Structure formats: structure tokens, C-alpha cells
Amino acid sequence: MNRFAWLALAALLLAAGPAFSQIRIENAWTRATPPGAKIAAGYMTIRNDSDAADRLVSATSPAAAKVAPHVTTEEGGISRMRAVEGYDIPAHGAFELEPSGAHLMLMDLKAPLEAGEKVPLVLRFRRAGEVKVELEVRPLGASRHGHGH
């Protein structure tokens, strides 16, 4: 393979790199936890810019022993949380993880989460593969837009 072919191949691989993951994460956050709390919930908007639907299949964080997708459903005026296998992200669409809706449960936290910290998270998608994100830790009473309820 001549030098030109190598350069062309290298350029192609570099161009393919960032464009491959067409999943974008916006507004990733969690609330600070009180001392002794062992669970937290992660929220974000997952955008899929590709022509094919994708699925969040799992997530991990060094801050927690386990990260699991959950949804909150309301039945007869009672909110219930249940674990789900993952979340479907539509092609050219978005999926919201938000308080009282779908969220990622961070279980068995290794330390309390303090406002101002960042919690690293690795999201695994069926098509896009791994996407790294950091949850911004907001004060305890924070809502989606960063102020208390």
C-alpha cells in the first residue's frame, strides 16, 4: 500500500470516528444525596441523530455498584418505580429521562453525591456502542431546570 493510500485510509478512519456515534446527551444531571443515602437518580435528554432507532441497553458508573434503567408509572394515584430492560431512542428523535418519569437508578453509592461534583457514567447503546457522559450534581431540591420545587 503506497503512502497516499495510507493517508487516505487514515483520513477516512478519523472522519468516521466522531460521526459514528450519532447519540448526543444533553442536560445530564442528578441531585445531591443526604448523608447515608445509597441511591440516586440520573436524568438527561438522549438525542439520536441517526436514521435508525437505537436502544440504551445498560449503564455503569464508578460512583455506584449498579446503574439500572427505571420508569415511574402512576396507577390509581400511586407512583410506582419499576426496572426496565432499557430505553428505545427513535431515529431523529429524543428520549427524556426526568423526575417522575424514566430515570437511571444509581444504586449502592460508594459516597454521598455533593452539589458541584460530576458523576461519570458510561451508557451502552445497541447500535452506537459506549457513550461517556458526566452527571452534574445539583443541590438536593433541584428540578430539571436547576432550581428547587
Side-chain angles (χ1 to χ4, degrees):
M1 195 182 270
N2 67 27
R3 191 161 158 257
F4 178 76
W6 274 114
L7 286 171
L9 182 65
L12 189 69
L13 290 173
L14 284 172
F20 173 69
S21 179
Q22 295 187 316
I23 293 286
R24 285 182 297 131
I25 308 298
E26 297 170 358
N27 193 29
W29 66 283
T30 185
R31 288 189 186 100
T33 56
K38 283 293 185 187
I39 59 167
Y43 311 108
M44 66 197 71
T45 301
I46 302 171
R47 294 200 182 280
N48 180 1
D49 295 330
S50 79
D51 293 330
D54 207 337
R55 184 169 174 83
L56 176 68
V57 291
S58 67
T60 55
S61 172
K66 185 176 180 193
V67 180
H70 277 72
V71 292
T72 304
T73 54
E74 199 158 308
E75 296 161 28
I78 299 165
S79 284
R80 298 178 192 277
M81 263 192 344
R82 64 183 175 87
V84 290
E85 293 291 313
Y87 305 123
D88 290 311
I89 322 307
H92 298 290
F95 188 85
E96 296 279 344
L97 277 66
E98 56 194 349
S100 74
H103 55 278
L104 290 172
M105 285 298 296
L106 283 72
M107 296 183 268
D108 204 4
L109 293 174
K110 300 193 167 114
L113 304 182
E114 295 184 23
E117 289 180 341
K118 301 264 190 219
V119 178
L121 203 58
V122 177
L123 307 175
R124 284 183 190 79
F125 293 88
R126 186 169 288 153
R127 293 174 57 87
E130 290 190 354
V131 176
K132 291 185 168 79
V133 65
E134 286 186 328
L135 298 175
E136 172 197 331
V137 182
R138 297 186 183 163
L140 198 51
S143 69
R144 176 180 163 78
H145 300 290
H147 45 78
H149 272 313

